[in-house]
Amino acid sequence: MKNKSYEPQAIEQTWYQKWEANNYFAPSGRGMPYCIALPPPNVTGTLHMGHGFQQSIMDVLIRYHRMCGNNTLWQIGTDHAGIATQMVVENLLRSEGADRHILGRENFVKRIWGWKKYSGDTICSQERRLGISGDWTREKFTLDPNLVQAVQHVFISLYEEGLIYRGKRLVNWDPVLNTAISDLEVISEDSEGSLWHIRYPVADSTESLIVATTRPETMLGDTAVAVHPEDARYQHLIGKQVKLPLTDRLIPIIADEYVDMKFGTGCVKITPAHDFNDYALGQRHNLPLINIFTKDAYINENAPKIYQGLDRFVAREKILADLKSAGLLIKVEKHQLKIPKGERSGAIVEPYLTDQWFVKASVLAKPAIEAVEHGKIKFIPENWSKIYLQWLENIEDWCISRQLWWGHRIPAWSDEKNNIYVGRSEEDVRVKYKLGNIALKQDEDVLDTWFSSALWPFSTLGWPEQTPEFKTFYPTAVLVTGFDIIFFWVARMVMMGLKFTGEVPFKEVYITGLIRDSHGQKMSKSKGNVLDPVDLIDGIALDDLIKKRTSNLMQQHLTKEIEKQTRLDFPSGIPGFGADALRFTFCALATTSRDVNFDIARLEGYRNFCTKIWNATRFVLMQLEGFDRSNNAVEFSLADRWIKSELQRTLHIIETEFKNYRFDLVTQAIYEFTWHQFCDWYLELAKPILYSENFSASAKQGTRETLLSTLETILRVIHPFMPFITEELWQEVAPKLNIKRPTIMLEQYPQFDKSEVDNEAVVEIEWLKKVILAIRNIRGEMNISPAKPLPLLLSKGTVTDKKRIEKHTQYLKALARLESIDWITEEKIPAAATTLVDELELHIPLANLIDISAEIARLNKEIGKLKADIERAATKLNNVNYTSKAPSDVVARERLKLAENQSTLQKLQTRVMDLLGVK
RNA sequence: GGGUGCUUAGCUCAGUUGGUAGAGCAUCGCCUUUACAUGGCGGGGGUCGGGGGUUCGAGCCCCUCAGCACCCACCA
């Protein structure tokens, strides 16, 4: 600690390098294993606040358990993030005027690897800036060779067991990305649409049916019209045919209970190739499937020529116009509907008939459900298990193939007759299926990125090999993640983990909230409210922040609004708060709430806390000039005993709340103890002993000893939250305790020790605080300068009060800034400001200092409060129901309090009378 | 259509098995007291979303209404 004032930039850089260079992040090889698998960030760019939040929490857990003596591994790495990363690089290419199809698959993938290095390196450097203590020597990427091996192993086993199958199915198709996506990747968006009523003439009849549809363009693929079997209006038409307008096709009128008689006209056009319900209905009735779209959602050759080649929405307009001119468009109604959009591209998703690979999820889901129901996996907060279970209990098959180039290639080959062979490699399948020399072609598709993520907790530990790491650290201790990926990831890890290792992948799932901005808005590029954790650590000028938020915007027109809001939120940019303050803030915000509003004011407050710790350490070190532990006799003061006891009380809270994952309560306890007990009280109580001639050398020695050991303990307590500042300070403090070990990181975490709890000291110091506070209160309310020494007169009081006053004269004089303390008899009390501490009466003589009427007003305010309290208590105690039914200790407490208040009231009233007399 | 969560001081949030409401920030007053003005000391501020119920006693339990947020789902 070279600087007088706390400057995070000056200390944070060097320590990290030392820790990493000395391999302190690696498992110790001793103690109970404790492992966290980091949710691997996507290599799509840089870390955002959510990562910072979750990683801070994980690092706190990791550092805590490492200090508690566990054999601790934080398995870190990054995720290839299939679609997301491919899109980033495609956008990059587009800005260069290039295209992945021009580049070709091999070159494009090469290009993505280049991007992966750039993004991965950025992420790792951000993580280092945050101070995270993952084992870098074991860093993994989801496309690393042994993770590829794990993916293949799982795919092949599931295929051979019949749990993976390939089939032509209706899937969610993203016509922009040209790939299938899973149900989870489809986002329903509310939209104001229309319901068109279209007349379908019945063949060989003058009758017609009116169908209602939100998607008129799909009529080109209609293969039936359905009515409810019991619908009296249409009974006679079931089995007949209608002429499908704009085409020359005749399609049947069928009956199915799926149709809701009350909705629209009760007639539904059926398009099995472009609607999930219609598909199911088509299967029941053996309807043909007519696919009318290309992969890009243009009308294809199966439709009448005049519509071919039209975009789906252009086609819609034309079809509506044509229907209208044919007199077949009956009416249009406004209609609320949900539009399915691709999570990544935002394109309207089309149900589309393609060959895809699927996982039979329901089979895998059963054990995953049981694991949570039987408590083998515990969610924190508990109620997320409901969400998890609900989803698994209704799980659909998982479409795992993606028509992308970036990802795990599907380990399947086909021959010319489209027979499928699954194996580790082309060679492997030839041998396995005895194929000889026939032509084989590998499946072009890659796997859904979540397929490899599902294996992360064990694939990173070397599975399917039974490596020492796998045997030691699996199952991992806890998964720390957000509720937004419970389905995508958590559930699938549990399914795969149980299936392939026979064990749960983690024993606990700690679900964090989602980081939002200070207004409660979700952080997103398009809202322009994104914060980069590193900018909070290092600081950023306003102009740079605006530039960062408005560059590469999809919607340019938002620039002005974003700039305005940014200027409003951060009028002078963001100062560098340091990683320690940021990490502590994240933990302090980690309540059970699902939304976490990130307010820079909190960060500022905790930066100030760092400053406080810094200065307190400077103070303690200043008191230790010439301090030698070995030489002198030691005598511990009441304050020494008290602060040690308070420290234990704090450690007890910390221990409990760590188990509960209540980091907000842990940080609160740390903050309260460090600032309000240690700094505000203990350091002030230490000063009189250290500065006064009246105290013995052994008393001074005891105080120094306590200052030092308490501070050193505090530093260890705080270290998991604030690794940098605590290391920096500890390096100065520890040698004074003759500690020669190299780093605070590997020291023992302070443990709660009941034997150091000292209730006697606590009671007495609490009394002392009350007396000091009472005097300060008068000073404050009467606007007397804190610099002005005051005379104190005492009256009444018990024998204990007298003893204590005598004993603590030094403390009282110093902390309440008194020039004198004298006992007087009741008759001699002068005009004074009076306050009570139980039986003891404290008087500050008014003599020019205090206005009598101000004192009367102050007392009357106090009297008012007491009267209200007394009345409430009296009513309560007069209620027989209360005194007979409430527990006796509660009643006794109430009685005692009432008696005290009555006595205080009387005394204060007497004082008012006296003062009025003086006046 | 189902489900979940939230509503406590100006703001952001705690509130343990029901026993007379707490913190941080903001605010007001006094203060350059030799660790710290990124500070010290003191103060003010809430009928705990509305209504009803259980109870001697409800921020906490039950019912109901309202508002906000989110998740899931195939109504054309």
Side-chain angles (χ1 to χ4, degrees):
Chain A
M1 53 177 318
K2 295 183 188 75
N3 295 328
K4 191 182 168 208
S5 55
Y6 169 62
E7 284 159 34
Q9 286 73 15
I11 59 168
E12 293 189 355
Q13 306 284 356
T14 51
W15 283 117
Y16 197 89
Q17 285 159 20
K18 272 189 194 161
W19 294 331
E20 191 177 347
N22 283 294
N23 211 21
Y24 293 154
F25 302 151
S28 64
R30 294 181 304 275
M32 292 281 286
Y34 183 89
C35 179
I36 295 178
L38 173 77
N42 293 348
V43 288
T44 46
T46 59
L47 293 189
H48 56 244
M49 292 293 280
H51 292 118
F53 180 41
Q54 290 175 354
Q55 294 195 6
S56 293
I57 285 169
M58 278 179 260
D59 195 48
V60 165
L61 286 168
I62 287 289
R63 287 182 184 267
Y64 175 71
H65 280 95
R66 190 184 286 125
M67 289 177 80
C68 286
N70 287 111
N71 185 19
T72 304
L73 170 66
W74 191 1
Q75 176 58 55
I76 53 178
T78 46
D79 195 307
H80 70 282
I83 298 184
T85 309
Q86 176 161 333
M87 270 184 70
V88 169
V89 177
E90 283 195 70
N91 288 338
L92 221 61
L93 284 179
R94 201 166 304 127
S95 70
E96 297 165 6
D99 184 282
R100 75 177 156 111
H101 299 286
I102 300 170
L103 238 61
R105 183 163 187 161
E106 197 179 329
N107 285 326
F108 180 65
V109 168
K110 246 186 220 163
R111 178 73 195 256
I112 303 187
W113 276 103
W115 164 264
K116 180 263 163 192
K117 170 142 179 45
Y118 163 74
S119 174
D121 288 353
T122 308
I123 288 167
C124 292
S125 79
Q126 283 179 299
E127 287 171 344
R128 285 181 166 93
R129 290 304 311 280
L130 266 174
I132 77 155
S133 61
D135 186 353
W136 291 104
T137 65
R138 297 191 45 80
E139 190 192 347
K140 295 286 188 292
F141 179 57
T142 47
L143 289 176
D144 282 350
N146 54 349
L147 276 75
V148 171
Q149 208 191 332
V151 164
Q152 289 193 348
H153 180 98
V154 166
F155 186 96
I156 294 164
S157 314
L158 289 176
Y159 177 76
E160 285 172 353
E161 212 180 311
L163 292 176
I164 281 183
Y165 62 92
R166 184 179 148 87
K168 210 177 194 71
R169 292 293 183 86
L170 210 52
V171 295
N172 301 296
W173 184 262
D174 186 321
V176 167
L177 296 173
N178 267 308
T179 178
I181 54 181
S182 73
D183 298 344
L184 286 175
E185 292 161 281
V186 179
I187 312 294
S188 281
E189 242 176 52
D190 272 316
S191 167
E192 191 72 41
S194 304
L195 190 61
W196 287 276
H197 292 246
I198 304 169
R199 183 185 303 280
Y200 283 18
V202 177
D204 309 319
S205 161
T206 53
E207 283 187 88
S208 62
L209 290 178
I210 313 290
V211 300
T213 180
T214 54
R215 300 206 52 200
E217 67 279 12
T218 63
M219 68 174 289
L220 301 178
D222 284 0
T223 54
V225 171
V227 296
H228 195 275
E230 279 148 34
D231 195 329
R233 291 171 293 179
Y234 308 117
Q235 282 298 314
H236 63 291
L237 295 175
I238 294 169
K240 295 199 170 176
Q241 291 187 308
V242 293
K243 284 198 284 194
L244 185 61
L246 311 182
T247 72
D248 52 5
R249 289 195 284 121
L250 288 175
I251 56 175
I253 300 166
I254 60 172
D256 195 285
E257 298 193 336
Y258 157 71
V259 179
D260 180 353
M261 288 189 273
K262 283 175 293 225
F263 186 89
T265 56
C267 300
V268 189
K269 61 188 273 311
I270 302 299
T271 323
H274 297 292
D275 182 284
F276 288 102
N277 289 314
D278 294 3
Y279 180 82
L281 193 143
Q283 299 268 297
R284 290 198 288 277
H285 295 267
N286 277 320
L287 295 176
L289 293 132
I290 301 178
N291 173 24
I292 59 156
F293 289 131
T294 66
K295 290 186 171 178
D296 306 314
Y298 285 76
I299 305 295
N300 71 9
E301 70 282 359
N302 294 330
K305 221 172 186 109
I306 51 164
Y307 302 111
Q308 288 179 18
L310 294 180
D311 171 81
R312 51 189 161 161
F313 300 110
V314 177
R316 174 183 295 179
E317 293 312 314
K318 183 162 172 51
I319 285 166
L320 287 169
D322 292 349
L323 286 170
K324 199 171 178 187
S325 53
L328 296 171
L329 187 59
I330 306 303
K331 64 170 174 176
V332 189
E333 290 174 325
K334 283 221 178 309
H335 185 66
Q336 281 285 336
L337 74 162
K338 301 271 191 188
I339 297 194
K341 293 192 171 172
E343 183 197 31
R344 297 286 170 188
S345 67
I348 296 178
V349 165
E350 205 62 60
Y352 196 63
L353 204 57
T354 48
D355 279 310
Q356 303 290 345
W357 293 87
F358 297 88
V359 171
K360 273 190 193 163
S362 56
V363 179
L364 298 174
K366 267 200 191 106
I369 290 168
E370 283 164 14
V372 168
E373 279 177 345
H374 298 170
K376 285 180 187 153
I377 296 176
K378 202 177 129 208
F379 275 85
I380 299 136
E382 213 282 316
N383 77 303
W384 289 110
S385 60
K386 261 190 221 164
I387 309 282
Y388 166 96
L389 289 171
Q390 240 166 49
W391 186 71
L392 280 177
E393 277 155 10
N394 301 297
I395 198 164
E396 299 283 333
D397 283 358
W398 173 18
C399 175
I400 50 171
S401 43
R402 297 289 179 276
Q403 289 64 55
L404 303 170
W405 288 351
W406 176 243
H408 290 267
R409 192 85 178 256
I410 290 178
W413 283 258
S414 57
D415 61 21
E416 282 167 342
K417 292 176 196 150
N418 267 331
N419 293 309
I420 303 287
Y421 308 102
V422 167
R424 286 195 305 277
S425 61
E426 186 174 330
E427 223 161 278
D428 181 48
V429 295
R430 279 188 198 283
V431 175
K432 201 161 136 191
Y433 295 94
K434 302 189 175 71
L435 297 178
N437 261 340
I438 64 164
L440 286 176
K441 207 175 117 209
Q442 183 168 9
D443 194 313
E444 294 289 327
D445 294 350
V446 299
L447 289 166
D448 180 4
T449 199
W450 295 104
F451 192 90
S452 56
S453 310
L455 318 180
W456 182 254
F458 44 99
S459 64
T460 50
L461 296 174
W463 185 91
E465 302 299 320
Q466 293 291 310
T467 60
E469 290 81 6
F470 176 71
K471 287 190 207 159
T472 306
F473 293 109
Y474 190 89
T476 66
V478 59
L479 174 74
V480 178
T481 192
F483 57 82
D484 50 331
I485 51 177
I486 288 178
F487 307 146
F488 279 110
W489 196 41
V490 180
R492 286 165 179 170
M493 277 193 284
V494 178
M495 289 194 279
M496 291 298 197
L498 286 167
K499 176 73 187 167
F500 286 96
T501 71
E503 287 185 273
V504 295
F506 28 75
K507 292 161 217 150
E508 293 182 307
V509 183
Y510 171 60
I511 298 290
T512 68
L514 235 55
I515 294 275
R516 294 165 176 279
D517 74 6
S518 61
H519 311 287
Q521 293 291 310
K522 203 168 165 178
M523 286 193 186
S524 73
K525 179 78 188 162
S526 64
K527 285 201 177 105
N529 59 353
V530 171
L531 288 171
D532 180 337
V534 173
D535 290 340
L536 296 174
I537 294 173
D538 290 338
I540 184 167
L542 178 61
D543 287 342
D544 292 336
L545 181 60
I546 291 170
K547 208 183 287 169
K548 214 166 164 173
R549 286 183 163 187
T550 54
S551 65
N552 298 324
L553 261 182
M554 298 286 238
Q555 300 108 314
Q556 287 288 326
H557 64 278
L558 295 174
T559 304
K560 274 233 163 78
E561 184 53 37
I562 289 172
E563 177 171 349
K564 196 179 131 202
Q565 191 59 46
T566 303
R567 284 186 191 281
L568 207 64
D569 285 344
F570 308 101
S572 45
I574 298 173
F577 291 105
D580 286 325
L582 180 62
R583 293 165 55 112
F584 200 86
T585 307
F586 279 136
C587 292
L589 292 174
T591 64
T592 56
S593 169
R594 57 170 69 174
D595 295 315
V596 175
N597 296 358
F598 189 89
D599 190 342
I600 206 114
R602 284 298 283 273
L603 180 56
E604 195 181 341
Y606 293 120
R607 188 272 322 268
N608 296 350
F609 182 47
C610 292
T611 307
K612 194 73 183 176
I613 297 167
W614 184 270
N615 287 318
T617 303
R618 277 180 55 232
F619 171 77
V620 171
L621 291 172
M622 282 166 69
Q623 305 312 316
L624 296 175
E625 301 278 322
F627 173 74
D628 183 350
R629 284 191 92 201
S630 54
N631 256 343
N632 303 297
V634 179
E635 182 190 324
F636 291 110
S637 71
L638 186 69
D640 295 337
R641 287 161 52 201
W642 166 77
I643 195 68
K644 285 182 203 168
S645 183
E646 284 298 292
L647 173 63
Q648 290 310 318
R649 201 175 57 80
T650 307
L651 291 179
H652 187 63
I653 297 171
I654 291 171
E655 220 167 277
T656 311
E657 299 307 343
F658 247 115
K659 285 198 191 92
N660 295 335
Y661 294 91
R662 287 300 303 270
F663 303 103
D664 57 329
L665 300 181
V666 176
T667 50
Q668 197 181 60
I670 288 173
Y671 184 95
E672 213 284 326
F673 174 76
T674 306
W675 197 315
H676 297 307
Q677 303 307 327
F678 185 69
C679 292
D680 288 351
W681 285 102
Y682 181 69
L683 295 188
E684 296 309 316
L685 289 166
K687 283 175 187 174
I689 296 181
L690 294 168
Y691 295 165
S692 163
E693 303 295 321
N694 299 339
F695 289 91
S696 66
S698 56
K700 289 180 198 290
Q701 185 75 5
T703 295
R704 290 196 173 112
E705 178 81 36
T706 309
L707 277 172
L708 183 57
S709 66
T710 308
L711 175 64
E712 195 272 340
T713 309
I714 288 172
L715 292 175
R716 279 182 286 133
V717 166
I718 302 177
H719 179 261
F721 300 89
M722 299 182 165
F724 297 107
I725 187 175
T726 49
E727 179 75 290
E728 176 76 15
L729 299 177
W730 188 83
Q731 292 291 334
E732 301 279 330
V733 170
K736 308 274 184 198
L737 286 163
N738 298 328
I739 296 169
K740 304 249 164 60
R741 293 178 294 274
T743 174
I744 191 174
M745 260 194 70
L746 303 179
E747 291 292 304
Q748 251 269 341
Y749 199 80
Q751 306 285 315
F752 170 62
D753 178 359
K754 208 175 170 182
S755 71
E756 289 218 38
V757 174
D758 187 336
N759 286 321
E760 196 185 292
V762 170
V763 168
E764 199 154 339
I765 291 287
E766 288 311 318
W767 174 86
L768 184 65
K769 280 180 168 183
K770 264 203 272 186
V771 174
I772 291 165
L773 286 170
I775 298 164
R776 284 178 180 171
N777 181 272
I778 290 178
R779 202 188 273 278
E781 298 239 318
M782 294 295 159
N783 286 351
I784 302 168
S785 158
K788 168 103 186 141
L790 297 174
L792 173 66
L793 299 175
L794 301 162
S795 61
K796 300 261 182 86
T798 61
V799 180
T800 316
D801 287 335
K802 282 176 184 150
K803 267 196 210 152
R804 284 173 174 169
I805 292 287
E806 171 82 33
K807 190 170 161 196
H808 302 310
T809 301
Q810 298 277 343
Y811 281 149
L812 288 167
K813 282 189 169 172
L815 274 72
R817 189 149 286 236
L818 299 174
E819 67 176 12
S820 61
I821 302 174
D822 295 292
W823 287 91
I824 53 165
T825 55
E826 206 147 340
E827 308 78 57
K828 292 186 180 165
I829 302 171
T834 298
T835 184
L836 306 174
V837 175
D838 304 326
E839 294 301 300
L840 183 62
E841 296 190 9
L842 310 155
H843 314 279
I844 305 294
L846 295 176
N848 304 331
L849 274 171
I850 303 167
D851 174 9
I852 291 184
S853 50
E855 170 62 5
I856 292 172
R858 193 183 69 87
L859 289 174
N860 278 332
K861 194 175 83 181
E862 201 59 32
I863 286 168
K865 276 189 202 166
L866 282 169
K867 277 184 173 166
D869 263 10
I870 287 167
E871 199 187 317
R872 199 177 325 152
T875 327
K876 211 170 178 182
L877 287 164
N878 283 334
N879 182 348
V880 184
N881 276 327
Y882 172 69
T883 47
S884 61
K885 289 185 184 171
S888 54
D889 59 319
V890 173
V891 177
R893 218 183 306 144
E894 196 71 39
R895 284 222 168 86
L896 188 69
K897 190 78 209 231
L898 176 64
E900 277 172 11
N901 282 340
Q902 277 167 335
S903 144
T904 307
L905 174 67
Q906 206 200 340
K907 284 174 190 157
L908 292 184
Q909 279 170 333
T910 310
R911 283 303 303 159
V912 171
M913 296 306 287
D914 289 353
L915 289 173
L916 285 171
V918 171
K919 210 175 178 183

